[in-house]
Amino acid sequence: MRRLSREDRADDHDGGRDEAATIDDPTSFPAFEVIPGAAEAGLLLICDHASNALPAAYDGLGLPPGELERHIGYDIGVAGVTRRLAATLGCSAVLSHFSRLLIDPNRGEDDPTLVMRLSDGAVIPGNRHADADEVESRLALFHRPYHAAIEAEIARALAAGTVPAILSVHSFTPVWRGVPRPWHVALLWDADPRFTAPLLEALRAPGDLIVGDNEPYDGALRNDCLYRHGTSRGLAHTLIEIRQDLIGDEAGQQAWADRLAGLLPAILAEPLLHERRAYGSRTGPVPPIYP
């Protein structure tokens, strides 16, 4: 069972634009999807770039057909992995339901890349003249509701007596600007090692994967999603990046969900992952945003 904000419905397939993209009124567009799970699972999955959907009123942001199917529109494969992993582990998940090109939920509200005007060589016409009022509108309709849904799931777990660990699911392109990326998977993190260190070890143990540690990106990004919900709250967290060619179809998504489902229970059994501890951030002092 899954919930969409405002009780709208969406197709189950991962990839392509779903029926919610035909909703004309942006105020009626579902900003997020929640997959309910048991608080005692001790894990919350989040998927910042799960969808490439847009309200019809945005007219595809003026992009040529097919551009939103590229990685610039969403993280290919991650929604399928997240749904399958949540189902296997019985944990909650929160997935975005709008394209990152509309507004990026994995950026702080003051980040200059919050609304991209150029992405991997593609000019985004619908963002070219997005002024402060337009950005505020998108924050109110999409960005903030998504984060509020994450906050609600964390609050639900805490109220049930469980301090949840957070796993953020992303994917990356096999090649970037002509340079192949050798990693099959990577973990991005800032200063809290509790979740990352044992998961890195578990992923590397079989010897069949090239596993990146803060590659191809660094996990220390001030005010990003995990900074906001993990670092600032003292919750154990990590971000997994899976190479997109490995999860571009249902078989790959299932294989990675199965792999992670086999590794995570032993890691989550460690009591340290379910304590609130302040580790700070490599980006600077962490203000006490949350109790």
Side-chain angles (χ1 to χ4, degrees), residues 183-185 209 242-249 251-253 255-256:
W183 311 282
H184 299 99
V185 64
L209 298 175
I242 306 170
R243 208 173 64 198
Q244 289 171 358
D245 59 314
L246 303 178
I247 54 173
D249 57 22
Q253 293 159 22
W256 272 91

Side-chain angles (χ1 to χ4, degrees), residues 89-169:
L89 296 181
C91 64
S92 297
V94 180
L95 298 85
S96 70
H97 198 254
F98 54 91
S99 173
R100 66 197 300 174
L101 292 180
L102 185 64
I103 191 165
D104 194 334
N106 195 32
R107 295 294 183 271
E109 293 192 11
D110 60 346
D111 194 298
T113 64
L114 183 66
V115 176
M116 294 288 285
R117 290 163 173 78
L118 178 69
S119 182
D120 194 18
V123 174
I124 318 301
N127 292 345
R128 185 180 299 162
H129 303 297
D131 59 13
D133 288 343
E134 174 61 21
V135 173
E136 175 59 31
S137 175
R138 297 185 193 185
L139 283 167
L141 291 174
F142 308 105
H143 192 280
R144 290 174 189 149
Y146 172 70
H147 287 284
I150 295 173
E151 291 164 6
E153 286 304 302
I154 292 172
R156 187 176 68 85
L158 293 174
T162 298
V163 176
I166 305 174
L167 178 64
S168 183
V169 185

